[in-house]
Amino acid sequence: MSTLPNSTPSTRAQAVHSRSWLFVPGDRPERFAKALDSDADAVIVDLEDAVAPQHKTAARDNVVEFAASSAIFVRVNGADSPWYKDDLAALRDCCPPLGVILPKTGSADDVAAAAALLGPQIPIVALVETASGVQNAGEIAAAVPSVRLAFGSLDFGLDIDAETDDTTLLYARSTLVIASRAAGLPGPVDGVTTELDDPAAAGRDAGRARRLGFAGKLCVHPRQTTPVNEAFGYSPETVAWARSAVEAAGKADGAAVRVDGEMVDKPRLQLAERVLAFSAKGNEA
């Protein structure tokens, strides 16, 4: 993975390892602390879609004040908006946030342009939500300082004029997964689930995304964060299997072994080691 010259390891770690990413509107400062107290791994204060044009400047001021004392990510307005450069300048000059969510990222040039305005100390999570972004996902993932890709599934469906069902979005999701891994990044962050009255729906969507290789999900309500975190964690049964597999492989000096009727070869052993490493960190890796 590309490293960021002036960002701390803990900043990069949260940008890389977070599972649930909770949006909170930038013009609702009374919700900021509540979002941080939720089960979300990461909080994104939103200056873009959630904020009406007449409130953009006030929302930016709220974010600058909050970022001075709180560990947050910020979704800025898009590069085609009149607020984009002022958003980046304000974040560059204040206490830097954990990272910037860059909407409508369509190319590596978009990442480079944002980085030039932000400076090297602020990581960028590239939000891919257009056909051009999916087509250029490989170069976006490889661009410095991209630390992770995220998928804007609703905007992508609008861009290609198609239904946002799993079949339609399969190619785009798989492309982001492959581009991320080829660039040495962790699995991407999946798009939002809009069913607010059924928090479990976000968990089900997260489970499907995980099976494709995603490693996180955007959330629009605090109640969605717990089922999303659970979907990207490991069950006690899986952890027990992983422990047995590692122990058996150790006794066999790394050769393929049989564990509970299953062959555990090198790839399966590496998976078992990943499960144990994840669990040892309290499901934060």
Side-chain angles (χ1 to χ4, degrees), residues 190-217:
D190 196 28
V192 301
T193 296
T194 58
E195 288 86 347
L196 299 181
D197 293 333
D198 181 13
R204 293 191 295 271
D205 288 348
R208 288 193 291 269
R210 179 179 179 172
R211 290 192 290 274
L212 288 175
F214 279 75
K217 183 171 178 60

Short mmCIF file of all heavy atoms in Angstrom, two decimals, residues 190-217:
data_model
loop_
_atom_site.label_atom_id
_atom_site.label_comp_id
_atom_site.label_asym_id
_atom_site.label_seq_id
_atom_site.Cartn_x
_atom_site.Cartn_y
_atom_site.Cartn_z
N ASP A 190 -18.43 -0.72 0.78
CA ASP A 190 -19.63 -0.81 -0.05
C ASP A 190 -20.56 0.37 0.22
O ASP A 190 -20.45 1.07 1.23
CB ASP A 190 -20.35 -2.12 0.24
CG ASP A 190 -21.37 -2.47 -0.83
OD1 ASP A 190 -21.18 -2.05 -2.00
OD2 ASP A 190 -22.36 -3.15 -0.52
N GLY A 191 -21.51 0.57 -0.69
CA GLY A 191 -22.45 1.69 -0.61
C GLY A 191 -23.50 1.52 0.46
O GLY A 191 -23.56 0.50 1.17
N VAL A 192 -24.37 2.51 0.57
CA VAL A 192 -25.34 2.56 1.66
C VAL A 192 -26.52 1.62 1.41
O VAL A 192 -26.82 1.26 0.26
CB VAL A 192 -25.86 3.99 1.87
CG1 VAL A 192 -24.73 4.94 2.17
CG2 VAL A 192 -26.67 4.47 0.65
N THR A 193 -27.18 1.26 2.50
CA THR A 193 -28.48 0.59 2.48
C THR A 193 -29.52 1.61 2.92
O THR A 193 -29.38 2.22 3.98
CB THR A 193 -28.49 -0.62 3.43
OG1 THR A 193 -27.55 -1.59 2.97
CG2 THR A 193 -29.87 -1.24 3.50
N THR A 194 -30.54 1.83 2.12
CA THR A 194 -31.48 2.92 2.38
C THR A 194 -32.64 2.54 3.30
O THR A 194 -33.39 3.41 3.73
CB THR A 194 -32.06 3.45 1.06
OG1 THR A 194 -32.70 2.37 0.36
CG2 THR A 194 -30.97 4.04 0.19
N GLU A 195 -32.80 1.25 3.64
CA GLU A 195 -33.90 0.82 4.51
C GLU A 195 -33.60 1.22 5.96
O GLU A 195 -32.92 0.49 6.68
CB GLU A 195 -34.13 -0.69 4.42
CG GLU A 195 -34.76 -1.16 3.14
CD GLU A 195 -33.72 -1.39 2.04
OE1 GLU A 195 -32.56 -0.97 2.21
OE2 GLU A 195 -34.07 -1.98 1.00
N LEU A 196 -34.11 2.35 6.40
CA LEU A 196 -33.80 2.87 7.73
C LEU A 196 -34.56 2.16 8.84
O LEU A 196 -34.09 2.11 9.98
CB LEU A 196 -34.10 4.37 7.78
CG LEU A 196 -33.31 5.25 6.81
CD1 LEU A 196 -33.70 6.72 7.00
CD2 LEU A 196 -31.82 5.07 6.98
N ASP A 197 -35.71 1.60 8.54
CA ASP A 197 -36.52 0.95 9.58
C ASP A 197 -36.17 -0.51 9.77
O ASP A 197 -36.77 -1.19 10.62
CB ASP A 197 -38.01 1.07 9.24
CG ASP A 197 -38.51 2.51 9.31
OD1 ASP A 197 -37.91 3.29 10.08
OD2 ASP A 197 -39.46 2.85 8.59
N ASP A 198 -35.22 -1.00 9.01
CA ASP A 198 -34.79 -2.41 9.12
C ASP A 198 -33.26 -2.44 9.18
O ASP A 198 -32.61 -2.68 8.18
CB ASP A 198 -35.31 -3.20 7.92
CG ASP A 198 -34.92 -4.68 7.99
OD1 ASP A 198 -34.48 -5.13 9.07
OD2 ASP A 198 -35.05 -5.38 6.96
N PRO A 199 -32.68 -2.20 10.37
CA PRO A 199 -31.22 -2.19 10.48
C PRO A 199 -30.57 -3.48 10.02
O PRO A 199 -29.44 -3.46 9.50
CB PRO A 199 -30.98 -1.95 11.98
CG PRO A 199 -32.22 -1.30 12.47
CD PRO A 199 -33.34 -1.88 11.65
N ALA A 200 -31.27 -4.60 10.18
CA ALA A 200 -30.70 -5.88 9.77
C ALA A 200 -30.46 -5.94 8.27
O ALA A 200 -29.61 -6.71 7.80
CB ALA A 200 -31.61 -7.03 10.20
N ALA A 201 -31.19 -5.12 7.50
CA ALA A 201 -30.99 -5.11 6.05
C ALA A 201 -29.57 -4.68 5.71
O ALA A 201 -28.96 -5.20 4.77
CB ALA A 201 -32.00 -4.17 5.39
N ALA A 202 -29.04 -3.73 6.46
CA ALA A 202 -27.66 -3.29 6.23
C ALA A 202 -26.68 -4.43 6.50
O ALA A 202 -25.68 -4.60 5.80
CB ALA A 202 -27.32 -2.09 7.10
N GLY A 203 -26.98 -5.23 7.54
CA GLY A 203 -26.13 -6.38 7.83
C GLY A 203 -26.18 -7.43 6.73
O GLY A 203 -25.16 -8.01 6.37
N ARG A 204 -27.38 -7.66 6.19
CA ARG A 204 -27.50 -8.63 5.09
C ARG A 204 -26.75 -8.15 3.86
O ARG A 204 -26.05 -8.92 3.20
CB ARG A 204 -28.98 -8.88 4.77
CG ARG A 204 -29.74 -9.59 5.88
CD ARG A 204 -31.10 -10.05 5.40
NE ARG A 204 -31.99 -8.94 5.07
CZ ARG A 204 -32.80 -8.35 5.94
NH1 ARG A 204 -32.83 -8.75 7.21
NH2 ARG A 204 -33.60 -7.37 5.57
N ASP A 205 -26.90 -6.86 3.55
CA ASP A 205 -26.18 -6.30 2.41
C ASP A 205 -24.67 -6.37 2.63
O ASP A 205 -23.90 -6.65 1.70
CB ASP A 205 -26.60 -4.85 2.17
CG ASP A 205 -28.00 -4.72 1.61
OD1 ASP A 205 -28.57 -5.75 1.19
OD2 ASP A 205 -28.53 -3.59 1.59
N ALA A 206 -24.24 -6.10 3.86
CA ALA A 206 -22.81 -6.17 4.18
C ALA A 206 -22.29 -7.59 4.02
O ALA A 206 -21.16 -7.79 3.54
CB ALA A 206 -22.57 -5.67 5.60
N GLY A 207 -23.10 -8.58 4.41
CA GLY A 207 -22.68 -9.97 4.25
C GLY A 207 -22.47 -10.33 2.79
O GLY A 207 -21.49 -11.01 2.44
N ARG A 208 -23.37 -9.87 1.93
CA ARG A 208 -23.20 -10.14 0.49
C ARG A 208 -21.97 -9.43 -0.05
O ARG A 208 -21.22 -9.98 -0.85
CB ARG A 208 -24.46 -9.71 -0.27
CG ARG A 208 -25.66 -10.60 -0.05
CD ARG A 208 -26.76 -10.32 -1.05
NE ARG A 208 -27.37 -9.02 -0.84
CZ ARG A 208 -28.43 -8.81 -0.06
NH1 ARG A 208 -28.97 -9.82 0.59
NH2 ARG A 208 -28.94 -7.60 0.07
N ALA A 209 -21.77 -8.20 0.39
CA ALA A 209 -20.60 -7.45 -0.07
C ALA A 209 -19.31 -8.12 0.39
O ALA A 209 -18.32 -8.20 -0.35
CB ALA A 209 -20.66 -6.01 0.44
N ARG A 210 -19.31 -8.61 1.61
CA ARG A 210 -18.12 -9.27 2.11
C ARG A 210 -17.76 -10.50 1.29
O ARG A 210 -16.59 -10.78 1.03
CB ARG A 210 -18.30 -9.66 3.57
CG ARG A 210 -17.07 -10.37 4.12
CD ARG A 210 -17.20 -10.76 5.55
NE ARG A 210 -15.99 -11.45 5.97
CZ ARG A 210 -15.74 -11.78 7.21
NH1 ARG A 210 -16.58 -11.48 8.17
NH2 ARG A 210 -14.62 -12.42 7.51
N ARG A 211 -18.78 -11.25 0.90
CA ARG A 211 -18.51 -12.44 0.09
C ARG A 211 -17.87 -12.10 -1.24
O ARG A 211 -17.20 -12.93 -1.85
CB ARG A 211 -19.80 -13.24 -0.11
CG ARG A 211 -20.29 -13.91 1.18
CD ARG A 211 -21.40 -14.92 0.91
NE ARG A 211 -22.64 -14.29 0.50
CZ ARG A 211 -23.56 -13.83 1.33
NH1 ARG A 211 -23.37 -13.90 2.65
NH2 ARG A 211 -24.68 -13.30 0.88
N LEU A 212 -18.06 -10.87 -1.70
CA LEU A 212 -17.42 -10.42 -2.94
C LEU A 212 -16.01 -9.90 -2.71
O LEU A 212 -15.26 -9.70 -3.67
CB LEU A 212 -18.26 -9.31 -3.59
CG LEU A 212 -19.57 -9.73 -4.23
CD1 LEU A 212 -20.33 -8.49 -4.71
CD2 LEU A 212 -19.33 -10.68 -5.39
N GLY A 213 -15.64 -9.65 -1.45
CA GLY A 213 -14.31 -9.14 -1.15
C GLY A 213 -14.27 -7.75 -0.57
O GLY A 213 -13.19 -7.19 -0.36
N PHE A 214 -15.45 -7.16 -0.31
CA PHE A 214 -15.48 -5.86 0.37
C PHE A 214 -15.10 -6.05 1.84
O PHE A 214 -15.20 -7.14 2.39
CB PHE A 214 -16.87 -5.24 0.26
CG PHE A 214 -17.13 -4.55 -1.05
CD1 PHE A 214 -17.39 -5.29 -2.20
CD2 PHE A 214 -17.11 -3.17 -1.15
CE1 PHE A 214 -17.61 -4.67 -3.41
CE2 PHE A 214 -17.35 -2.53 -2.36
CZ PHE A 214 -17.59 -3.28 -3.50
N ALA A 215 -14.68 -4.95 2.46
CA ALA A 215 -14.25 -5.03 3.85
C ALA A 215 -14.87 -3.94 4.71
O ALA A 215 -14.40 -3.70 5.82
CB ALA A 215 -12.73 -4.97 3.94
N GLY A 216 -15.89 -3.26 4.22
CA GLY A 216 -16.55 -2.22 4.98
C GLY A 216 -17.80 -1.76 4.26
O GLY A 216 -18.05 -2.14 3.11
N LYS A 217 -18.57 -0.90 4.94
CA LYS A 217 -19.83 -0.44 4.36
C LYS A 217 -20.18 0.94 4.89
O LYS A 217 -19.99 1.24 6.07
CB LYS A 217 -20.96 -1.42 4.69
CG LYS A 217 -22.29 -1.06 4.06
CD LYS A 217 -23.29 -2.19 4.25
CE LYS A 217 -24.66 -1.82 3.68
NZ LYS A 217 -24.58 -1.53 2.23
#
